[in-house]
Amino acid sequence: MKTTRTIFQDGDHKWVAIVRDPERKGHLIDTNEYLVTHGGQGLLLDPGGAEIFPAVFSALSAEFDPSALAGIFASHQDPDICSSLALWLEFNPQMHCYVSWLWRSFIPHFGGSADTFVAMPDAGMTIALGGLSLTAVPAHYLHSSGNLHLYDAQARMFFSGDVGAALLPPGEDGLFVEDFDAHIRHAEAFHRRWMGSNEAKRSWCERVAKMDIDMLCPQHGAVYQGADVERFINWFDALPVGVVGS
Amino acid sequence: MGTLPAGTERPGRASATMPLALTGPAPQAGLDLLRIVRINEEIKSVVGVAFRINIMALNAIFLAKRAGTAARGFGVLSNELRTFSQNLRDCMGELSGLVDACVGEVSVVLRDIRHTRLLRQAVAASSWAGGAAVLAARQAESERHLQRLTARRKALRRALDDAFRMVELGGVLAKSAKIEAAYGQSFAASLAQVSGEFDGVVEEIRKSLEALRRSDFFGRH
């Protein structure tokens, strides 16, 4: 089963990372899920695929009442992002799923009704969670054509979807980046291939560099914290992307 | 405000292995899907043959008219065969609709089984008290889908039985036409050929329907 790690806490305002399942089947890519809680409500960021639902659910429910989940934030449309949607809705059919307007009619193939989905505009939007304001930040073409990240200005936490992702080998899969130079080798090929637009990447780097961020939390791999956040943004800015091969 | 980089580690409960229905309903539903897909393919081929019968019945009518009084009996039978072929076409349309519905229901049941398996694993590994109620609601929904599939399965079986009886009647008509063809004087050879072909095709359909009625899709339910 997965492990939960509280990576930010201020009263009932929390960011909980749900990570690293030692029983995960090898043919499924490892994913990180994040739970943001505030005022008794929870928002689950990229809840993961259907096959890992039992591992994510059991870890989450040890921390938080799953029926109090107010919503799911889907950074984009991939199956490892939210193919578990129908299963989460079993616990709270009134739950909303925030998703780019581009995928508004695609993601319902994973489940949900017409009332489930909140279409986020390209410019992003504010998402209210138990009195807390979260910001959906545009990250289009990084890698999906309709892609959004989530910023919590109060906690200075940034959920970056596939940006910052690294495919870590066994034994080097700590939750936090400890040696940036060693870590980023595992991220380079992924970003070159998966990120499709240098223009979009530049725009994202400019936007995110202006934000106060203590932790940058990707959907795969390790969390960047402190000076590694800026280090990552600069590295990404300089990396040519949209490239097949090395 | 505090950031906890080291984190507070709380592993989820170890996976409580509970008896999952991995050898039960999922393979059964998978087999059902294969069986109903095969039935669907067979019915599609029978529909094609039924269309041929329609053309053959028309030919028989034209031939009987050309033969005139020499083939009066054959003419009556060819009209009956034409009616039979139209009824057969309608019957095949109904069967196709029922098979489509069965394919849909089996697919829903397959989805339910995967859904329930994942929910059951999640609830078993979690200490959250509300899990049992959610699982019970899911199982009740799955049960409703199973009952719907059972009803569709019975309706398809009944429709196949009806079609089989109709085709047996068609076989009797075809054999009578073969007898009447013998009285067709100079047209006897042509009439015999047409009625023989008709009989052969009806027999082909009868065998197909007989095999479909014996499908394991209808067994053990």
Side-chain angles (χ1 to χ4, degrees):
Chain A
M1 287 294 141
K2 286 200 159 207
T3 299
T4 58
R5 299 275 299 269
T6 302
I7 55 176
F8 167 86
Q9 182 163 15
D10 178 24
D12 74 343
H13 183 188
K14 279 193 200 178
W15 275 63
V16 178
I18 303 165
V19 293
R20 310 291 183 271
D21 178 7
E23 294 163 32
R24 175 180 57 85
K25 293 168 192 160
H27 64 283
L28 294 169
I29 190 168
D30 191 27
T31 54
N32 304 329
E33 292 74 35
Y34 300 93
L35 170 70
V36 185
T37 67
H38 192 273
Q41 291 190 340
L43 182 71
L44 185 57
L45 316 183
D46 284 3
E51 283 300 318
I52 63 155
F53 170 78
V56 177
F57 177 85
S58 61
L60 178 140
S61 64
E63 281 284 339
F64 189 76
D65 177 354
S67 63
L69 276 177
I72 279 173
F73 176 87
S75 63
H76 59 290
Q77 84 291 3
D78 280 348
D80 67 319
I81 300 295
C82 57
S83 64
S84 59
L85 177 62
L87 293 156
W88 290 103
L89 286 166
E90 297 263 353
F91 293 90
N92 180 6
Q94 275 72 51
M95 192 190 307
H96 284 120
C97 177
Y98 296 88
V99 60
S100 162
W101 69 271
L102 207 60
W103 304 119
R104 170 73 174 75
S105 57
F106 290 74
I107 290 187
H109 284 280
F110 291 140
S113 66
D115 297 330
T116 303
F117 297 93
V118 178
M120 295 189 283
D122 281 344
M125 63 182 281
T126 300
I127 296 172
L129 179 72
L132 176 71
S133 282
L134 299 164
T135 308
V137 178
H140 309 303
Y141 295 102
L142 300 173
H143 68 92
S144 166
S145 45
N147 209 121
L148 290 120
H149 295 163
L150 193 81
Y151 180 50
D152 180 344
Q154 197 170 312
R156 297 158 65 105
M157 301 289 282
F158 189 88
F159 171 62
S160 60
D162 278 325
V163 173
L167 306 175
L168 302 175
E172 295 180 47
D173 56 355
L175 177 57
F176 294 100
V177 174
E178 287 167 8
D179 177 344
F180 183 84
D181 293 333
H183 172 84
I184 211 68
R185 290 201 309 268
H186 303 303
E188 186 171 336
F190 180 89
H191 285 77
R192 279 185 192 277
R193 180 62 197 260
W194 256 267
M195 304 302 154
S197 161
N198 284 298
E199 194 179 331
K201 179 202 65 170
R202 179 89 190 105
S203 165
W204 181 89
C205 289
E206 283 178 354
R207 190 178 306 121
V208 175
K210 291 176 192 157
M211 297 173 175
D212 288 328
I213 299 173
D214 285 343
M215 285 192 200
L216 186 140
C217 309
Q219 196 230 348
H220 307 281
V223 172
Y224 303 80
Q225 57 179 335
D228 281 342
V229 173
E230 187 180 348
R231 212 168 275 144
F232 171 76
I233 295 169
N234 290 337
W235 171 85
F236 188 37
D237 194 29
L239 183 75
V241 298
V243 178
V244 178
S246 58
Chain B
M1 183 180 295
T3 303
L4 308 173
T8 311
E9 191 155 337
R10 279 186 71 177
R13 278 180 57 192
S15 63
T17 310
M18 63 184 293
L20 300 171
L22 295 176
T23 54
Q28 179 59 45
L31 280 175
D32 268 354
L33 188 60
L34 280 177
R35 287 166 184 154
I36 193 67
V37 163
R38 283 191 197 122
I39 288 174
N40 195 27
E41 289 304 308
E42 188 65 29
I43 286 189
K44 272 156 64 182
S45 73
V46 172
V47 167
V49 174
F51 181 74
R52 265 170 55 207
I53 273 196
N54 205 22
I55 305 290
M56 288 166 70
L58 274 174
N59 281 340
I61 288 170
F62 293 144
L63 196 57
K65 283 198 185 302
R66 278 172 56 199
T69 52
R72 192 168 286 156
F74 187 92
V76 171
L77 283 165
S78 64
N79 280 320
E80 288 301 316
L81 285 169
R82 167 82 171 140
T83 304
F84 161 70
S85 71
Q86 286 167 339
N87 290 342
L88 185 63
R89 188 189 55 198
D90 294 345
C91 178
M92 289 299 136
E94 188 196 348
L95 276 178
S96 295
L98 285 166
V99 170
D100 283 350
C102 281
V103 170
E105 293 300 339
V106 173
S107 305
V108 167
V109 168
L110 267 174
R111 189 199 61 196
D112 282 350
I113 288 167
R114 180 178 184 233
H115 215 94
T116 306
R117 169 178 66 84
L118 292 166
L119 276 178
R120 199 175 283 170
Q121 284 175 340
V123 169
S126 165
S127 54
W128 184 60
V134 171
L135 192 55
R138 158 53 39 204
Q139 283 172 334
E141 181 73 4
S142 301
E143 188 55 39
R144 275 194 291 278
H145 293 156
L146 271 174
Q147 284 170 0
R148 221 163 55 189
L149 172 60
T150 302
R152 301 265 193 213
R153 201 191 297 268
K154 282 181 181 165
L156 178 61
R157 176 62 207 246
R158 277 197 302 271
L160 274 171
D161 288 346
D162 290 347
F164 185 76
R165 279 192 289 273
M166 181 192 294
V167 169
E168 280 195 318
L169 176 65
V172 172
L173 287 173
K175 282 176 176 56
S176 300
K178 277 167 84 175
I179 294 166
E180 284 298 325
Y183 301 104
Q185 297 172 9
S186 60
F187 286 90
S190 306
L191 294 174
Q193 188 186 345
V194 168
S195 55
E197 282 174 4
F198 209 101
D199 189 35
V201 169
V202 169
E203 181 59 16
E204 197 181 322
I205 296 174
R206 196 189 67 79
K207 280 181 180 162
S208 286
L209 291 178
E210 197 170 24
L212 288 175
R213 290 164 79 209
R214 285 200 305 264
S215 165
D216 285 342
F217 183 71
F218 303 108
R220 300 187 301 278
H221 295 289

